[in-house]
Amino acid sequence: MQFARINGITLHYQIIGAPAEKPVIVFANSLGTDFRIWRDVIVRLAGDFAILTYDKRGHGLSDIGNAPYSIEDHVGDLIGLLDHLSVRDAVICGLSVGGMIAQGLYARRPDLVRALILCDTGHKIGTADIWNTRITAVEEKGIESIADGVLERWFTPSFRSEANPAFKGYRNMLIRQPVAGYTGTCAAVRDADYTEAAGRIAVPTICIVGDQDGSTPPDLVLELAKLIPRARYEVIANAGHIPCVEQPEALTAIIRAFLAQSLEEEGPIAGGSRQ
Ligand SMILES: O=C(O)CC1=CCC(=O)O1
């Protein structure tokens, strides 16, 4: 296991492959999850790419730090981690709040970003009322009290079978996140708005969404894609909010096709920076 002290807190991360030798893909995960959600995508990409995953603050094995957070706290952690690992010019793939972190990273440090894969995310997600209601419920009654509603938006009905051990496992992942980390990140999403910044994105970008995503539905993700100059847009069939879990093969195929085209257009990377 790999850990680094960044911005005064311990972050848990994992690097597979050599960033000095292969194009780097960084995966940023969603609210209420840790980096294990990317496993079935990573195993399909490893070998061709160096892969960095990490648990954002307040999630997984990373420290909680001072909650509540702003999205800039999460962005600052990823900047710190990439600087710590001397990774530049990476492909950033972010899911949901991870996609907002990716947008914020590009806004602050475009030198770190070669391409963006924005998965089931938005320039703005939800309303202040929705997030404040959720924060209050979790503070008063715990994550378990909202888990069923969240899981209905995360996964399609066929995945949400009690007979599916993976469904139970991801429910465990959600309800075992620290309350302060979870509500702290709800506050970060509530206050984040990348509507203006989206128009300034000038790297190859693809926006991807599950056709049954109940959290950031296809309409929202399409709206984001339309804000970003020349962004591509893809819908994955039979997936909710977390296609890396439900449809990893389809998601990997889209990522591969996008990177084959966009990295080819831009020229080869070696040593974590463009030639
Ligand atoms: O958990 C949810 O409701 C969906 C979600 C919104 C932001 C995020 O990261 O996940």
Side-chain angles (χ1 to χ4, degrees):
M1 287 206 276
Q2 294 160 300
F3 297 93
R5 192 96 185 141
I6 306 291
N7 298 330
I9 63 166
T10 295
L11 288 184
H12 176 218
Y13 71 95
Q14 174 179 266
I15 287 199
I16 298 172
E21 290 162 18
K22 310 252 185 208
V24 182
I25 309 181
V26 179
F27 289 93
N29 48 287
S30 56
L31 175 67
T33 66
D34 62 47
F35 72 57
R36 287 173 291 189
I37 61 169
W38 296 108
R39 189 229 170 240
D40 290 348
V41 171
I42 289 168
V43 293
R44 291 172 164 86
L45 293 171
D48 295 325
F49 298 91
I51 291 164
L52 169 63
T53 50
Y54 76 107
D55 292 339
K56 66 185 165 299
R57 62 170 64 200
H59 287 71
L61 297 186
S62 291
D63 279 350
I64 297 170
N66 291 326
Y69 317 127
S70 70
I71 200 74
E72 289 302 317
D73 292 326
H74 286 301
V75 171
D77 291 346
L78 182 52
I79 289 172
L81 185 60
L82 293 175
D83 283 343
H84 173 77
L85 298 169
S86 302
V87 169
R88 292 183 63 241
D89 226 8
V91 176
I92 313 293
C93 176
L95 175 74
S96 203
V97 66
M100 291 187 131
I101 295 169
Q103 293 170 69
L105 177 70
Y106 179 80
R108 245 164 90 179
R109 287 285 303 276
D111 60 300
L112 298 177
V113 181
R114 186 176 192 187
L116 288 169
I117 300 169
L118 303 177
C119 225
D120 302 78
T121 188
H123 42 293
K124 176 140 189 63
I125 301 178
T127 62
D129 274 358
I130 286 172
W131 288 112
N132 288 335
T133 302
R134 193 187 298 196
I135 290 167
T136 303
V138 171
E139 283 172 350
E140 289 177 357
K141 292 176 274 177
I143 297 178
E144 193 143 15
S145 70
I146 57 141
D148 290 343
V150 169
L151 291 161
E152 275 182 25
R153 296 186 291 270
W154 278 12
F155 298 120
T156 60
S158 63
F159 190 90
R160 287 196 320 266
S161 154
E162 288 303 327
N164 178 8
F167 176 59
K168 183 68 170 50
Y170 285 105
R171 186 176 203 283
N172 288 342
M173 180 184 281
L174 170 64
I175 66 177
R176 290 176 189 173
Q177 301 303 321
V179 164
Y182 186 87
T183 56
T185 301
C186 288
V189 177
R190 176 194 64 200
D191 300 336
D193 187 344
Y194 288 109
T195 311
E196 292 289 319
R200 292 191 289 275
I201 294 177
V203 288
T205 300
I206 188 166
C207 300
I208 306 170
V209 64
D211 63 346
Q212 294 166 58
D213 184 339
S215 304
T216 54
D219 283 358
L220 174 70
V221 181
L222 179 58
E223 208 180 299
L224 171 63
K226 285 182 175 167
L227 288 172
I228 301 172
R230 292 173 295 284
R232 287 162 235 192
Y233 172 72
E234 288 272 355
V235 178
I236 297 182
N238 302 315
H241 187 57
I242 313 195
C244 51
V245 166
E246 264 193 289
Q247 298 296 342
E249 194 156 342
L251 177 59
T252 307
I254 291 171
I255 291 174
R256 273 192 183 281
F258 167 66
L259 292 181
Q261 195 180 355
S262 50
L263 299 190
E264 173 112 343
E265 278 164 12
E266 299 224 333
I269 299 178
S273 58
R274 227 166 285 170
Q275 295 281 283

